[in-house]
Amino acid sequence: MLEETNDNLHEADGNLVSESTEAVPTQNAVKEDAVTAEEVVNTEASTAENVADATTVVENENQKALTAIDDSNAEEGEDASLRERHEIPMLAYETLSMEALVDELQELVATDKVQSIKEHVEEIKKAFLAKFNHFIEEKKEEFHAENPETTEDFHYHSPLKIKFDQTYSKYRDNKNAHFKSLQSNLQTNLENRLAIVEEMKELINPNENIKDTLKHFNELRERWKNAGPIPKDKYNHVWNNYHFHVENFYDYLHLDREARDLDFKHNLELKQKIVARVEELVQETDINKAFRELQDLHKIWKEDIGPVSREHRDTIWNKFSDLTKQMHDKRELLFEKMRGTELENLTKKKEIISQIENLATIKVNAHSQWLGQIEKVEALRTAFFEAGKVPAEVNEATWDAFKTAVRNFNSFKNSFYKDIKKEQNDNLAKKNALVAKAQELKDSDDFAATTPLMKKIQEDWKKIGHVPRKYSDKVWDEFKAACNGYFDKLKEQRTEDNAEEMEAFEKKKAYLEQIRDFQLVGEHKADLDAIKLHIENWKNIGKVPFPKRHIEGKFNKILDALFDKLSLSKKDSDMMRFANRIDSLADNNDTRKLEGEKIFIMRKIEEVQNEIFQLENNIQFFTNTRNAKKENSIVLEVRKNIAIHKESLETWKEKLKQLRSLNQE
């Protein structure tokens, strides 16, 4: 141990004496008690061996705790800025999103010293790259699933990755600059400390004046304190050499015993205070904080406080090392607890992986259902990242299992979308055809013919399903531009037409007042020609706005009254009214009502034909009767009805003919 040294002291004449001596037994005494002595020796040897074994175990356990502290202090001995790393909380970086990781990295690099954030930066880097590489793998799989025959290389632009690389590069530059500055001084400081150790060896010279020797010794101790950091792999070795020769100086140098004992006593008091403080630290609830202070106390014990007298040396050191072992054990228990938490996290992550694997076996056949499956996997992915750390030895295997499960799910999902790829390409071809048709019609000025076609194109577009995502926006923008171009032009035209229609409405209002005062002269041909002229004049005025079309009904009522006064047949009167009505509908381009009129007439024709057929069947029943020598009144009435229906049928057929001729025009 560090505190175990030769405790022999030089007397004033330079001869060595021992502070304790043992009585050596005479030869006769040994002979007289030979048997008893042998038994005693064997018994004591056995006991001593057991005690030695137990002591070795304790010392080994203590040494583990001491080594852990020595190693940490050695690292900090190389770079004092490492001591600041404990002031920055270590977050659960693996649970953060990529955006949050980049923000945290920027904050650390901008505000903290490079060596105090080393562990944090490496944890952030590991978490970010794991998530980013997994993200890129998924994007690459999606790209190849959507483009199975492509020879194009996959590229993905990520502003977030660029931001991360820039920040990490800045950290790396800062770290390199720091180490370059640090390394230039470490070797020089090491050489200075080794020179101090060599000078310390030369102090043991009984012929030199004690005052000069003490002065030189104190100078060396001061130079040692100010020598600066050295490489961590040399720290403990160099310090042990230095401390060994400091103890030799105290033990071998001829000193004034009173002065030496006072120094020993002072050192003992300081070390006892440290032991008392460590006893308090053992009870501290914040174990990491307590262990950190214990490291500082070990450094003070080794570097700032000199040796104590031999009679207290082992006792005080053993007590200090035992307390260190207790603190180390508490820290190990904390680590075990953390490991227990990590094992719980491992169980959670395994369950999440199992659920993702299960989702990769459930076959669904609709896009909406796949969206639900994808949402479930995203939720499980988030839960995986938020589950926390797992034991280091299984971390990579767990991460690989998670990536494999997600990759298998994505492959399973992509196989579905590969199957519908052909359908989407067919839909794209259909939509491109509609785009071409809309672009062909968008400049047409024949609004009456083109508008229904454009509306049908829009309806057909709605019935077509999804197209490949990379073409979706492009084909939609082209289609929308063509449709908007046409309907904007139609709107402008309607605005112009509306002014003309309002003018026509005002003229028709005035003409309506004029025709109200019209009187027939009583001559059939002249009156009929006059009515036809009014109809022609009315048509020539033009269309009126849709909300004002009630004026057409008022005009038709006046015409009906005039026709009633004319000595026209019912058929002629009916046909003139019909012609006037359908002409009015045609002028206003009311295709819906014209089509309705056509359907109505066709039904009426069918009804009249059925009625005639039934009446003719009835006639045959009466005329085939044996005793029917002549037609009775019932037969005559039936024949009369047949004639009326045939006349009506001719009228309806004439109306249908006029409608069809109108459509042909």
Side-chain angles (χ1 to χ4, degrees), residues 316-362:
I316 192 70
W317 173 251
N318 289 337
K319 190 168 185 179
F320 185 47
S321 62
D322 287 342
L323 289 169
T324 298
K325 170 65 168 52
Q326 293 180 39
M327 178 63 70
H328 184 266
D329 289 345
K330 287 189 69 174
R331 191 162 179 252
E332 287 298 310
L333 286 175
L334 177 62
F335 289 155
E336 284 299 317
K337 183 178 179 182
M338 291 171 61
R339 180 172 176 80
T341 301
E342 290 176 352
L343 289 173
E344 292 177 2
N345 295 341
L346 177 61
T347 300
K348 292 178 185 177
K349 289 191 171 184
K350 284 183 176 179
E351 175 60 26
I352 290 169
I353 292 170
S354 176
Q355 292 182 47
I356 296 175
E357 290 173 340
N358 182 57
L359 287 172
T361 64
I362 301 174

Side-chain angles (χ1 to χ4, degrees), residues 22 29 33 56 80 122 158 193 226 254 275 326-327 379 409 444 487 505 527 535 571 575 591 615:
E22 295 183 2
D33 297 327
T56 300
E122 292 307 313
S158 173
R193 286 187 182 270
N226 299 323
H254 176 66
V275 169
Q326 293 180 39
M327 178 63 70
F409 171 81
S444 173
F487 285 105
F505 174 71
D527 288 339
I535 294 173
K571 179 181 178 181
M575 288 303 298
T591 55
L615 290 172

Side-chain angles (χ1 to χ4, degrees), residues 124-230:
I124 290 173
K125 177 185 176 183
K126 183 170 67 175
F128 179 86
L129 292 181
K131 293 183 178 182
F132 180 76
N133 291 336
H134 181 52
F135 172 79
I136 289 298
E137 286 177 7
E138 290 188 325
K139 290 296 181 184
K140 188 174 182 179
E141 288 180 1
E142 289 179 7
F143 172 77
H144 288 299
E146 293 181 358
N147 307 275
E149 300 178 359
T150 184
T151 57
E152 181 184 354
D153 292 335
F154 171 75
H155 297 286
Y156 188 86
H157 177 71
S158 173
L160 188 64
K161 179 62 163 59
I162 294 173
K163 190 176 179 182
F164 172 83
D165 289 341
Q166 290 174 343
T167 308
Y168 186 80
S169 178
K170 182 179 180 181
Y171 159 75
R172 188 176 54 207
D173 292 343
N174 292 345
K175 183 178 71 171
N176 291 339
H178 171 79
F179 274 113
K180 185 176 181 181
S181 173
L182 186 65
Q183 291 297 326
S184 65
N185 297 322
L186 290 178
Q187 190 61 34
T188 301
N189 295 340
L190 175 62
E191 293 171 0
N192 290 339
R193 286 187 182 270
L194 290 174
I196 292 171
V197 172
E198 291 300 318
E199 288 187 51
M200 191 69 73
K201 290 180 184 179
E202 302 300 325
L203 286 179
I204 302 175
N205 185 356
N207 298 322
E208 188 175 282
N209 183 282
I210 189 171
K211 290 184 179 180
D212 293 338
T213 302
L214 282 172
K215 181 179 179 182
H216 192 187
F217 174 72
N218 289 329
E219 289 175 354
L220 291 175
R221 291 184 68 182
E222 190 64 27
R223 282 167 57 194
W224 179 269
K225 289 181 181 180
N226 299 323
I230 63 175

